[in-house]
Amino acid sequence: MTRPERNPPGDEASTAGKVVPYKVGYGKPPREHRFKKGQSGNPSGRPKGSANKPKIDTSSGMRAAEQFLKYEAYRPVTLREDGEIIELPAIQAVFRAMGVAAMKGNRFAQKNITELVTSLEQRDADQRYELFGTAAEYKKDWSMEIERCERDGLPIPNPVPHPDDIILDPNNGDVRIHGPQTDEQKRDLDEALKRRSEAQEEVNYYSDKYHRARSERRKAQWLEAWHSEQCIFDIINDSVPKRYKTKLANRSYREGASREGKAREELRKRRKLRSDDL
């Protein structure tokens, strides 16, 4: 039995001899302007699947091959592990499969993964000790130059990073820099140290005013200003590397005064209390 063809919404169809009206308006375009089945409403739009294709210039020769390799190596893939679906970069999934095979006794996988790990560790060690040698030479040369200038009464150089900021650990080849490593960081540090010096001067001034004041009202005013500058000093001093730290003279130990090494923590607590009260 053949089913009657259903008229699409909006077509003029006769039902019991009556014409069903179709009102053209928002969301109801005229019949000649409606999309046809199987035809895209945006024929000049993005091709299907184009979002998954890497944008690589193949005219660059071997460089293009390297880019394709990197794309495939880091392309996310899904796999099942311990009953769960996880997503990993393709290269990590390869290494994980190799590790699983090695632990199951596959000698080829055991040999490959051992050689890979050994090679990576050796390359890391070589790079670390090369950096250590470069840093040690830099530290020695600048230290000798600074000593020479001090001895001969010449202007003292201030290289970035400063040799005193370079910490070397010969046991593991570790190199650490506890200080500015760029000119911009050096400028920021100089500004911070300058403001810390100003805070020390203000602390000296306000502490003297406090001790000379006779009225309790004036004492309270001077003490508040004293504590404010002391807090600024402590925040800056707590933030700079160890070599740049110093002690505050005329420190207040009265209630509400900041403490050395705890100023930033205390400031965060005070701000949280104020925000909770709002």
Side-chain angles (χ1 to χ4, degrees), residues 134-144 163-166 168:
T134 301
E137 184 176 359
Y138 176 95
K139 181 180 177 73
K140 176 185 175 183
D141 290 346
W142 272 113
S143 296
M144 292 177 62
D164 291 345
D165 292 338
I166 300 176
L168 304 176

Side-chain angles (χ1 to χ4, degrees), residues 174-186:
D174 187 32
V175 178
R176 288 169 293 150
I177 301 178
H178 293 175
Q181 301 181 42
T182 65
D183 291 337
E184 183 179 4
Q185 292 177 356
K186 180 66 168 58

